[in-house]
Amino acid sequence: METTTKTHGVALTPAASAKVKSLLDQEGRDDLRLRASVQPGGCSGLIYQLYFDERFLDGDAVADFDGVEVIVDKMSVPYLDGATIDFADTIEQQGFTIDNPNATGSCACGDSFH
């Protein structure tokens, strides 16, 4: 496993950190990290990807939030710099959200941006 000292500008709120910890506890795994990335796709050009990953890839940047490691690949770092990952659990919304100051527009469904 390659370790890296590069950091990124993505923030994870305490609510999101607690949810990630809860999900990892349910999985019974302590070797996974939250990977955030952007990929081509969606009706606005780019879509967010959030998933658990056990790997470190060449060029990954990492930051720790109260024991939760968030990894961002080198291509996604500039797109996600300054973004905040949050978790909401209300009657109106449940799930992870990404507030990204770099997004200049998004589609109606909110799943993709440009």
Side-chain angles (χ1 to χ4, degrees), residues 13 15-17 19-20 23 85-90 93-97:
T13 66
S17 179
K19 184 61 177 180
V20 170
L23 292 170
I85 301 170
D86 195 7
F87 182 79
D89 189 5
T90 67
Q93 178 183 19
Q94 181 179 29
F96 289 96
T97 60

Side-chain angles (χ1 to χ4, degrees), residues 10-92:
V10 176
L12 190 68
T13 66
S17 179
K19 184 61 177 180
V20 170
K21 286 180 183 179
S22 172
L23 292 170
L24 291 174
D25 286 346
Q26 289 176 20
E27 290 290 321
R29 307 258 318 250
D30 61 0
D31 63 331
L32 297 175
R33 295 149 198 94
L34 182 65
R35 182 174 289 277
S37 67
V38 296
Q39 300 292 322
C43 44
S44 287
L46 295 170
I47 57 172
Y48 297 111
Q49 299 276 311
L50 285 177
Y51 58 95
F52 293 122
D53 199 347
E54 60 192 18
R55 306 164 298 149
F56 276 107
L57 303 175
D58 187 38
D60 279 349
V62 63
D64 185 274
F65 298 91
D66 194 27
V68 174
E69 287 183 309
V70 177
I71 299 174
V72 179
D73 65 87
K74 64 182 173 184
M75 194 274 306
S76 299
V77 167
Y79 293 103
L80 294 174
D81 188 41
T84 301
I85 301 170
D86 195 7
F87 182 79
D89 189 5
T90 67
I91 195 165
E92 296 174 330

